[in-house]
Amino acid sequence: MRRTWGLYLFPIPALALYLAFFVLPAAQGLQYATTDWDGFSPGFNRVGADNLVRIATDDDQFANALGNNLTFLLAVVSGQTVLALGLAVLLAARSRGSTALRALFFLPTVLSSISVAFVWRFVYDPNLGLLHSLGVPGTFLGDEDTAILWVAVAQVWFHAGQMMVIFIAGINQIPAELHEAAHVDGAGRWQRFRFVTWPMLAPATALVVAYTTIQSFKAFDLILGLAGNPPRSSLDILSTRIYTTFANSQLGYAAAESVVFMVAIGVVTWLQGRAARIGAGR
């Protein structure tokens, strides 16, 4: 086959955009993480790893945000995965009713984060809210111990329909012969789910968990919509903490927090990948 060198020119625009809007800003962020720049002054001092040392040893607000984010992550990943899988199993069959319900559960996904935040602010209002009208006691977002979990409920409601679609696509890819063979062997509905459906959904589950993890770290606008700016300490997560630091004219320190933020996402994603491979016996 004759080699056409012109084909190598096609990736250049995409690579140029990636270099300009991702690689260079990331490299510049690493540079600023070693400074005390306030974001406005013409000059700054090099502080080396002092910002990272301070984050690791003497920043209670960042540690609190990290703890809140991990709690939020566990609640959202577990709740959203289980709910989306349950909906997918119930609505996988093609019928008019299931199609209508799929559209209904998918509807929140098309809303903006701020719209979702205002809907749930009404739900959680301790005086005039929906839960108060239904007789559910509590201050919800005002409870320092459980506020982040109430935000997790809103996040699950927001994206469960989107994850349901991924699971339904995975279920529809399972050969019907496998279920028929299990049925002939006397397997009940739970056994067919446990030994046929669930193992075959491993790729879809890995995708849902990875995507939900990233969503949990990026719940910036939902948190600010529900809790205001800056959020209280009980609702402060890593992304809102970085924004607050940046707004306080500590750009160098905010860049260092961003570096730790990226490392945290990488570690969590790597751990999930390892867990998935161990679960698959690889």
Side-chain angles (χ1 to χ4, degrees):
M1 177 183 295
R2 188 168 63 89
R3 178 171 296 178
T4 305
W5 292 101
L7 292 176
Y8 292 103
L9 298 177
F10 283 92
I12 290 179
L15 290 174
L17 292 174
Y18 184 76
L19 181 68
F21 294 105
F22 181 79
V23 176
L24 291 180
Q28 200 167 32
L30 289 174
Q31 177 193 3
Y32 289 143
T34 61
T35 71
D36 63 353
W37 192 35
D38 60 9
F40 301 101
S41 302
F44 49 76
N45 298 313
R46 300 282 182 185
V47 298
D50 287 357
N51 287 335
L52 297 175
V53 172
R54 178 183 162 194
I55 290 172
T57 61
D58 190 28
D59 192 339
D60 294 337
Q61 290 180 319
F62 190 85
N64 171 71
L66 178 60
N68 287 341
N69 216 145
L70 292 177
T71 302
F72 184 73
L73 167 69
L74 292 174
V76 171
V77 169
S78 57
Q80 190 163 287
T81 303
V82 171
L83 179 60
L85 177 61
L87 291 174
V89 170
L90 293 174
L91 302 177
R94 292 185 176 87
S95 67
R96 290 184 179 179
S98 64
T99 301
L101 288 173
R102 289 181 198 177
L104 178 64
F105 289 122
F106 187 80
L107 181 61
T109 304
V110 304
L111 301 176
S112 68
S113 300
I114 297 301
S115 300
V116 172
F118 277 100
V119 168
W120 282 90
R121 283 182 69 171
F122 164 72
V123 173
Y124 289 148
D125 190 307
N127 298 312
L128 304 172
L130 177 62
L131 292 181
H132 174 76
S133 301
L134 296 174
V136 179
T139 54
F140 312 110
L141 297 178
D143 190 325
E144 295 290 324
D145 296 327
T146 61
I148 196 68
L149 297 178
W150 291 111
V151 179
V153 172
Q155 176 80 351
V156 170
W157 178 85
F158 188 12
H159 290 291
Q162 186 180 11
M163 300 302 106
M164 173 196 70
V165 172
I166 297 175
F167 276 126
I168 287 177
I171 290 173
N172 289 335
Q173 294 298 316
I174 300 174
E177 294 81 3
L178 295 179
H179 283 287
E180 293 170 359
H183 182 67
V184 170
D185 290 340
R189 297 187 63 177
W190 167 247
Q191 291 174 313
R192 292 201 297 274
F193 171 79
R194 180 181 176 186
F195 296 110
V196 178
T197 304
W198 178 241
M200 297 295 289
L201 283 179
T205 304
L207 177 62
V208 167
V209 170
Y211 189 68
T212 303
T213 298
I214 295 173
Q215 282 180 331
S216 301
F217 280 109
K218 293 171 58 182
F220 172 82
D221 38 9
L222 181 63
I223 292 284
L224 290 193
L226 282 168
N229 181 34
R232 296 188 308 278
S233 61
S234 59
L235 292 174
D236 202 12
I237 63 174
L238 291 179
S239 56
T240 54
R241 171 84 338 241
I242 293 169
Y243 178 74
T244 301
T245 305
F246 174 78
N248 289 333
S249 301
Q250 300 178 64
L251 191 142
Y253 194 70
E257 290 179 328
S258 300
V259 171
V260 178
F261 182 47
M262 289 190 293
V263 171
I265 293 177
V267 169
V268 171
T269 305
W270 179 78
L271 290 174
Q272 287 178 341
R274 288 284 299 169
R277 283 193 290 272
I278 292 173
R282 289 183 287 173

